[in-house]
Amino acid sequence: MTLIAPPQAPAGGATPAPAAPRRKRGLVGTSPATRTLVSTVDLQRHRGLYFTVLGLTITVFVLVFLVPLYWMFSSAVKSPAEYALSTPTFIPHSWHPDTFATAWSNMRIAKYFTNTVLYAAGGWLIVLTFDVALAYGLSKLKPVFGKILLGAILASLMLPASALLVPAYLTVVDVPLLHVNLLNTPWALWLPAAATAFNVYVLKRFFDQIPDDLLDAASIDGAGRLRQLWSIILPLSRPVLGVVSIFIIIALWKDFLWPLLVLPDPESQTLSVALHRLANTSQVPPTDFMAGLAIASIPMIVVFLIFQRSIIGGLSAGSMKG
Amino acid sequence: MAVVTAVPGRGSRVHRLRRRIQDNLLAYAFMAAGLACFAFFSWYPLVRGVILSFQQDNFVAPPYWVGLDNYRALFADPLFYTAWRNSLLFTGLALVFGFVLPFFIAVLLNEFRHFSGFFRVLVYLPVMLPPIVAVLLWRYFYDPGNGLFNTVLRGVGLPESQWTQSSNTAMISLVLVSTWANLGGATLIYLAALQGIPGELYEAAELDGASIWQRLRHVTLPQMRFIMLVLLLLQIVATMQVFIEPFALTGTSNPDTITVLILVYRYAFTVNQDFGLAAAMSVLLFVVLGAFSALYLWLTRTGD
């Protein structure tokens, strides 16, 4: 249920399957391909029942999944006095959108928001660069020990991140060989994020599908390995790069436990960590706090609404048929 | 590396060898940064964690070897058993809600001819929230005084609950948030799998006179068996590592909700400041979850 595992790539490492074709509206005219448990004829016969169940489901879904979010946004714009009423109001009587501005400045949300954006953007660039280079090396340059390294990378899928918590923390405090302390620096988030076997694996599988002949032809035309990567592989891999990018950014934005450990200084914290600290230490009015929670959610909700097809597609593509 | 001998002729052999060496050097130049990340944050911590679990290390003195002392200390700590019991309870409850419920939601949604996109977006929306936001939001809902849930219960004349603050309901309250925040993922995976079931199977079953329940039992379930097994393993691995819900809702010292990971955090970063002890706990967690992960990888292996 806490399904934080990254969605699985399709066996071929291909792009996420296109969203399932939209069913035609109406009960008639559904093609046999979309035949499900209950036949269209049966649905037709019990139209009343069908629409009752549909209506009930919509109601329950809206209540369960939308109302809590609505509550968060609507509480943020209530006055503190109205929020404290023992019979809560569903539609705010008085509107105070300026709560968002107060939260932004008083709780220093601006600072944490900027931190999080910088961590996510920088992390996206670093992780993508490192993982693409790694996948390209493994897939197309086929070095000695390449298979062993790929095996070791895949084996790290078996390591539950939480089991590595303490030794990984000690590594960040004093990086072996280099002896630098990464605490409170963005590198403490970025470098471990690059060690995500799932990304490397998806990219490698995709690169594997690009025919070597293309690269050989480019090589005859005088293109070096770097040029081949930049001008042939990357343009062809745009779809998979897009999906991997979305997942890198979502993972960085949602992470909590790791930033909590490696960013102890309030100045360098992410929004998630700062919200938790503020929830426990300060006397922030609940309406301000709701605004803070809403601000932390808005970017993810926007990303989701824009890219929902790739996100849901990438997730569904993982469903392997038994 | 067998390429070298494939072509006769000295010149071409040397040439090929040189090209091969060049590619190797280049490959490792490309891969250096990524491999370093894996080495520092994946492979090395694994080894370090195991070594650490046999050491005394608290940042005060340089670490020294203590053999099995950390493990003995763990088994002597009553919290150790509490933590495992709580984690197992959480995983068990989470499976009831988070594993079974998405299946039925998916079966239901799959029958609807309307609003399919709407349902999909709605059920996945909470998954997109930063987990801490979901949990802190629900903390307000769970508030025993003026929280939304008790207000609603009062409104319909039902007895109020202490939610996270009573030992009877604490764990179930944690599971409820966690389920709300995460069941979208499993639901969408099930939904995609359901759409892959060939319709002819249902038609054939219907012609044989199978009722809806019989079709669900004899067509849908067998077709979904594999994906259900995979999700079962994933969910066990994920829920045994639950952290945010107990951490943000009940804190690290509430014995009703101390889970394995909370205890690791406690040992290392709050009460004991003892990295060796925490590492020993992590090693045990790794052994348990590693078995499930291995099973998962073995089930879903796709070659190479």
Side-chain angles (χ1 to χ4, degrees), chain A residues 73-190:
Chain A
F73 283 97
S74 67
S75 299
V77 296
K78 287 177 186 172
S79 70
E82 186 184 351
Y83 179 85
L85 287 181
S86 57
T87 345
T89 47
F90 193 68
I91 297 163
H93 290 310
S94 56
W95 289 76
H96 302 272
D98 47 295
T99 316
F100 280 90
T102 349
W104 185 259
S105 51
N106 284 2
M107 287 162 70
R108 306 190 53 223
I109 297 278
K111 170 84 186 156
Y112 305 123
F113 190 86
T114 324
N115 279 349
T116 317
V117 169
L118 288 178
Y119 294 155
W124 168 72
L125 201 65
I126 300 259
V127 175
L128 205 59
T129 313
F130 285 14
D131 286 356
V132 161
L134 185 54
Y136 175 65
L138 287 174
S139 168
K140 291 300 178 202
L141 304 180
K142 303 196 177 67
V144 225
F145 307 127
K147 291 224 160 177
I148 297 174
L149 287 172
L150 182 68
I153 287 171
L154 287 183
S156 74
L157 279 173
M158 277 174 51
L159 299 179
S162 55
L164 297 181
L165 212 56
V166 175
Y169 172 79
L170 292 177
T171 308
V172 166
V173 175
D174 180 19
V175 181
L177 310 177
L178 309 172
H179 296 293
V180 284
N181 184 342
L182 299 179
L183 278 194
N184 293 318
T185 68
W187 297 102
L189 299 186
W190 294 344

Side-chain angles (χ1 to χ4, degrees), chain B residues 197-252:
Chain B
I197 299 179
E200 299 88 57
L201 292 180
Y202 290 118
E203 248 146 49
E206 199 172 9
L207 285 179
D208 289 344
S211 70
I212 291 184
W213 293 115
Q214 283 169 328
R215 272 176 262 159
L216 183 69
R217 164 101 176 66
H218 296 291
V219 178
T220 315
L221 275 178
Q223 289 282 316
M224 300 276 284
R225 207 177 46 204
F226 179 70
I227 189 73
M228 288 179 79
L229 185 57
V230 165
L231 281 188
L232 179 72
L233 292 174
L234 275 181
Q235 295 196 3
I236 291 174
V237 171
T239 49
M240 280 301 286
Q241 304 181 59
V242 60
F243 179 83
I244 293 189
E245 287 86 357
F247 183 73
L249 285 173
T250 49
T252 56

Side-chain angles (χ1 to χ4, degrees), chain A residues 2-273:
Chain A
T2 317
L3 197 68
I4 41 171
Q8 302 303 302
T15 51
R22 282 197 145 216
R23 291 216 178 96
K24 283 195 194 121
R25 301 229 147 199
L27 294 175
V28 214
T30 40
S31 61
T34 57
R35 165 68 218 250
T36 53
L37 197 54
V38 184
S39 72
T40 310
V41 182
D42 272 338
L43 283 184
Q44 196 75 293
R45 200 177 299 144
H46 305 284
R47 281 179 75 92
L49 184 64
Y50 169 80
F51 282 108
T52 317
V53 176
L54 181 70
L56 266 175
T57 313
I58 292 179
T59 317
V60 170
F61 263 57
V62 166
L63 264 179
V64 171
F65 294 111
L66 212 51
V67 166
L69 295 182
Y70 170 78
W71 193 261
M72 177 169 75
F73 283 97
S74 67
S75 299
V77 296
K78 287 177 186 172
S79 70
E82 186 184 351
Y83 179 85
L85 287 181
S86 57
T87 345
T89 47
F90 193 68
I91 297 163
H93 290 310
S94 56
W95 289 76
H96 302 272
D98 47 295
T99 316
F100 280 90
T102 349
W104 185 259
S105 51
N106 284 2
M107 287 162 70
R108 306 190 53 223
I109 297 278
K111 170 84 186 156
Y112 305 123
F113 190 86
T114 324
N115 279 349
T116 317
V117 169
L118 288 178
Y119 294 155
W124 168 72
L125 201 65
I126 300 259
V127 175
L128 205 59
T129 313
F130 285 14
D131 286 356
V132 161
L134 185 54
Y136 175 65
L138 287 174
S139 168
K140 291 300 178 202
L141 304 180
K142 303 196 177 67
V144 225
F145 307 127
K147 291 224 160 177
I148 297 174
L149 287 172
L150 182 68
I153 287 171
L154 287 183
S156 74
L157 279 173
M158 277 174 51
L159 299 179
S162 55
L164 297 181
L165 212 56
V166 175
Y169 172 79
L170 292 177
T171 308
V172 166
V173 175
D174 180 19
V175 181
L177 310 177
L178 309 172
H179 296 293
V180 284
N181 184 342
L182 299 179
L183 278 194
N184 293 318
T185 68
W187 297 102
L189 299 186
W190 294 344
L191 298 181
T196 309
F198 173 76
N199 292 340
V200 177
Y201 183 66
V202 171
L203 290 168
K204 191 215 168 242
R205 292 300 297 234
F206 196 90
F207 294 167
D208 281 349
Q209 289 187 322
I210 296 174
D212 283 336
D213 298 352
L214 271 180
L215 303 184
D216 290 343
S219 171
I220 290 166
D221 290 344
R225 287 301 200 176
L226 192 60
R227 182 66 194 266
Q228 291 170 22
L229 171 64
W230 186 257
S231 307
I232 298 173
I233 305 260
L234 290 187
L236 285 174
S237 314
R238 217 171 282 161
V240 76
L241 292 177
V243 173
V244 170
S245 300
I246 294 172
F247 288 127
I248 295 171
I249 291 175
I250 293 178
L252 284 165
W253 194 280
K254 286 175 65 172
D255 204 5
F256 175 75
L257 175 52
W258 184 248
L260 173 77
L261 293 183
V262 298
L263 304 172
D265 177 12
E267 286 304 303
S268 64
Q269 276 171 354
T270 64
L271 194 45
S272 286
V273 177

